[in-house]
Amino acid sequence: MAPDTDHESSTELDALLRMGVQAALACADFNQAFETFLAEMPRQLPGFAARLPPGAERSIGLAVFREIWNHTPRPELGWKRLTVPKPERNAPCPCGSGKKYKQCCAPREGTSPFPSDGFTVLSYVLETVPVADFGDVPFRQLDPEEVEHVASEWQKDGRIEPATRLLEALLAPGNKLDSRHEPAFDTLCDLYLDDGRAEARLALVERFMQQQDKPLRAAAWQRRATLHADSGEHAQAWEVFKEAQRLDPDNPSLAHLELVLLANQDRYDEARTRAAFWAKRLVKLGYGDEPIVALMEDVARDPEVLRAMLAAHQHDEDWDAEATPEDLDALEGLIENLPAPSCQYRLSPQDGGAGPLQASAELDAVEQDWDDSYWGDAEERNPWSDTRWLGWLGDHPLAWHSFAVIEDVIGILGDSLFPEDAVDRLDRMEDRLYGHAIALLRKVLADNRAEGLTLEWGWMENRPALRLLMQNIDLARYSPEELPLLEWLVLTLNPNDNGGQRERLVHALCEAGRPADALAVCDRYPGDGLAGTLYGRVLALYLLGRRSDAVAALAHAAKRLPKVLKTLVAARPKTPPLTPGMVTHGGDDEAWHYRVASLETWGKCEALDWLKQTAGRKP
């Protein structure tokens, strides 16, 4: 009997895959890794383990883990996979029972909780890679559509920077790209759009307009036509559209684009005629069952369908309506009178980890109600067109004990819907909310006796709280609060450093006169190729008076990242070409970013003259 997967939540499946990948990456020996996986299953996934038929734990566990093992790319092997083939029927069963495979686990072959249409574990592997090291990933070993899927899932989870950095590395200049990279190109354009990075999006589109691969180049020309149309540059939009059509005349997305361009000029009669043309053409091309054909047929019957579709799209994107002074006063009043932090979460501390933040039944219900009230229907996403959610916050004080709700409200404060003269008020409200979130997190950990334990990023439930802490650290830069928050995050809560904060911590510790602690942080990440860790080690050793070790560490850092040293000691280096949000590992831009972030620290530590002198010595 297979486990009852119909009732298995996506969270449980996520935890199963993550646990399997961690076991696989921790050991290159399949049998040892399998024993670790089997031992961890009852502890980390008690519900899944309890549903396994008695006596079938090893056989089903083997089937599950072999699938995970065979799908896991291994960074230490150049992202290749170590596959374990299906055993011969008369071979010893790999589960370790001592029986032949046909007499043991073979009858349960195919028992799996995974989707029948396949699954991917790449996301869990990439979680083990520092964001700054994405540029070192050999993407030629990976399926670009699988990489794009990971980025899209991160985007949905609010992990905008890692998603953006991953796709920037995948699509970096110099990489060999083809039509399989088109989804990644589209997603990165959307990430830039959502993040308000118009210049980066335009630069990406114009770079891709020069790609050798014709379908990929055509996709970029289509995107460029859309940008022209959005700017009211209709003549240019049509010129670019014609080039996109010449490059890839059978692309079905051209149909949608042409109708949008016509609608932007209120040419709805022409849109009806062209829709009828495209409907027939797309059927001939084999797209008869695709939604685009149904849309063309609908517009050909009634062009008002197109008008309504574009109006709904505009409404969905229309977040720029300013809040009224009354709205702002109401929100400020709520935030200035927040209730004292109260623990509404349960943790399950074990083996040094706090486990996932499990909301109480009351708070869980409030969070569900908040999602319905704030986000509402996809057709009603302008919060200031209907501010019922603002009154809802006043009626539900328990919501202020939810990390997810606090994160959403801070996101609202950062939107461009407030008048410019409200900036100071918004900053005060933001500071108040971050302070409340940090106090709430400390309260939750203390009440659950989880102080000093890790709050693992791998648990989705923990991410709103961790993101709030990371955002607060960004705002606290150069303030007295920065170092304690950095230490708490990197050294205690999130030692895997999913947010990439260890570089800042190393330099902040050096500035604080604690080089031994800075060196200890570097030692936590052996083999780390980040500029901040490599050169931070040099600085820490110098401050400890270990000059010969500092010289050796500098030689090592300079060998791995020579441009960083050259730029750091230069008197007036020129600013290299910079792509917003993108850093080339080992490149001029990485060196420049390190100089901007760390030159002041080297100066404060009175180590810059020594660095220049040492760098100038001949070997």
Side-chain angles (χ1 to χ4, degrees), residues 524-557:
R524 280 174 168 245
Y525 305 94
D528 195 348
L530 297 177
T533 311
L534 288 170
Y535 284 89
R537 173 182 290 276
V538 177
L539 179 59
L541 289 168
Y542 169 80
L543 293 175
L544 287 168
R546 295 168 54 179
R547 300 304 166 83
S548 60
D549 291 336
V551 171
L554 179 60
H556 174 69

Side-chain angles (χ1 to χ4, degrees), residues 323-342:
T324 67
E326 292 76 17
D327 292 333
L328 190 59
D329 290 341
L331 186 56
E332 185 175 37
L334 289 172
I335 293 174
E336 290 301 319
N337 294 282
L338 294 173
S342 170

Side-chain angles (χ1 to χ4, degrees), residues 315-330:
H315 185 267
D316 188 48
E317 290 190 344
D318 186 17
W319 282 72
D320 57 356
E322 286 191 353
T324 67
E326 292 76 17
D327 292 333
L328 190 59
D329 290 341

